[in-house]
Amino acid sequence: MLSEIAFYGALETGLIYGLVAFGIYLSFRVLDFPDLTVDGSFPLGAAVAAILIIEGWNPWLATGCAVLAGMAAGAVTAILNVKLNILNLLASILTMIALYSVNLRIMGRPNVALLTEETVLTPWYDLGLAFHQVPVVLFTLVAIASLVLLWRFMKSETGLAMRATGANARMARAQGIATGGMIILGVALSNGLVGLAGALFAQSQGAADVTMGVGVIVIGLASLIGGEAVITPSTVVRALLACVIGAIIYRLAIAFALNADVLGLQAQDLNLITAVLVTLAIVLPGIRTKVTSRFTSKKA
């Protein structure tokens, strides 16, 4: 069984990765744009927020700058694809590689500590909540606000144009939609959300590290696919809810696996657990569909 602290820790991390899943939903599902930039924009957001906080900036303002930095990284990837006709996957890999050096340049060293600095969490510790409950409360509010804003955006004229671009770019162009601009905007927003997640993660963990983005794309995909296996994404709201729920389920599954003495798993088995969970998330919906169809045919 999980301890209370481990349970809240899983919720806290799951809510942060829910923001990553929002970004991956925008790029992968809405725009059909395979984007690996997130492995670089996640630590970019952390680096920008950490350095600005150390320089004395307001933590929320520093976090906002982290979002803008993530958006800039995403825009670079999209511009490489749209303007220079570089394959979208290759463009994202190029940006991701470049961001490793950029992040090192921003921080000036491999990692930056924030343990003694004021962060977005600091004022919330005065509310009387337990220490491990504070991040969950704040990040829940951030996740809800992000979900509502994304839902409103996706229902706007620009959001509908972006969805049309992802569904059928040729038809969208025929309707007068600037598909190139929609791709740039969408990938920028996607990485802006990932930058936000990185900034919050650094402040939650008390440090920003240049390697903290390794595997973020896999975690985001696991959250997205796992959530869609639980909640059918028939509407935008359900798809966004699936992102958050999938991220929380993923982190809880990781926590249970690592704390289950029967399984004998250790911290170094994290990537193995992730691979198994992603495989199950991909396979289970197909199995469920087959079972449902067989049951329906027998009943008929």
Side-chain angles (χ1 to χ4, degrees), residues 143-222:
I144 292 173
S146 300
L147 188 152
V148 172
L149 290 174
L150 262 180
W151 172 66
R152 297 283 295 179
F153 172 76
M154 297 304 291
K155 290 176 66 68
S156 68
E157 185 176 342
T158 303
L160 291 173
M162 188 178 294
R163 293 161 67 182
T165 298
N168 191 325
R170 182 175 297 179
M171 181 63 71
R173 282 192 294 270
Q175 297 299 318
I177 296 174
T179 55
M182 289 297 106
I183 292 173
I184 294 173
L185 175 61
V187 179
L189 289 175
S190 169
N191 284 276
L193 287 165
V194 177
L196 171 62
L200 295 179
F201 188 80
Q203 294 174 70
S204 169
Q205 301 300 311
D209 192 279
V210 73
T211 62
M212 67 192 303
V214 176
V216 167
I217 183 66
V218 177
I219 297 173
L221 283 173

Side-chain angles (χ1 to χ4, degrees), residues 25 104 197:
Y25 167 75
L104 275 175

Side-chain angles (χ1 to χ4, degrees), residues 10 16 31 52 76 79 128 139 142 171 185-186 191 198 205 219 272:
I16 292 175
L31 286 173
L52 292 179
V76 169
I79 289 171
F139 296 159
V142 173
M171 181 63 71
L185 175 61
N191 284 276
Q205 301 300 311
I219 297 173
L272 173 62

